[in-house]
Amino acid sequence: EYLLDGKSALKTDIMNLLESAGFSRSNPYYIVPQGRVTTLTHAKDGERLALLKEVAGTRVYETRRRESLKIMEETDLKKKKIKELLEFIMERLSELETEKQELQEFQELDSDRR
């Protein structure tokens, strides 16, 4: 059980809070091993940027952003499916309305005939 300010919290919330404060699960101390400095000076821009993002703690927000974008895409797909289903239902309702009118006319003519 996790508590944050006396309130119940999820483990992921606690981990995200710690990561946003600069405590990373992958490298909690940010110790640069011997020889790594030379490697960093010769590293490509992308590799240095990745290291800076990790040290700055922005990786958490990028992960959340990717998750949010995925949820938005799934929601858009569901919305599109619902729209197609609604269009199908409206078409079917129109057809049934036409059939209802035809049936009423038939019943009136049949009652007149009798």
Side-chain angles (χ1 to χ4, degrees):
E1 184 176 337
Y2 296 93
L3 297 175
L4 183 62
D5 291 332
K7 297 178 184 173
S8 182
L10 298 174
K11 181 180 178 181
T12 54
D13 294 337
I14 301 294
M15 296 305 291
N16 288 339
L17 179 67
L18 290 172
E19 284 186 359
S20 67
F23 297 99
S24 173
R25 285 181 258 184
S26 61
N27 188 3
Y29 302 107
Y30 296 113
I31 296 174
V32 179
Q34 185 176 355
R36 179 84 169 146
V37 174
T38 306
T39 306
L40 289 175
T41 58
H42 295 357
K44 296 179 182 175
D45 291 340
E47 294 169 352
R48 277 186 263 174
L49 179 62
L51 178 66
L52 287 173
K53 285 181 179 181
E54 183 177 339
V55 170
T58 59
R59 187 171 286 177
V60 175
Y61 299 106
E62 288 179 1
T63 303
R64 286 185 189 167
R65 181 177 182 267
R66 281 194 299 272
E67 291 171 359
S68 297
L69 289 173
K70 182 179 177 184
I71 290 170
M72 287 173 60
E73 287 176 8
E74 291 172 356
T75 304
D76 286 342
L77 287 174
K78 288 178 184 177
K79 183 179 168 184
K80 184 178 178 182
K81 287 180 182 179
I82 290 171
K83 185 177 178 182
E84 290 173 355
L85 184 60
L86 187 59
E87 288 175 359
F88 172 75
I89 290 172
M90 294 304 289
E91 287 176 13
R92 183 69 180 134
L93 187 60
S94 175
E95 292 172 3
L96 290 174
E97 186 67 34
T98 304
E99 288 180 17
K100 176 185 162 192
Q101 290 174 354
E102 289 175 358
L103 179 63
Q104 285 176 346
E105 289 175 12
F106 173 78
Q107 287 175 341
E108 287 175 9
L109 291 173
D110 188 48
S111 69
D112 287 346
R113 183 184 57 90
R114 286 183 187 182

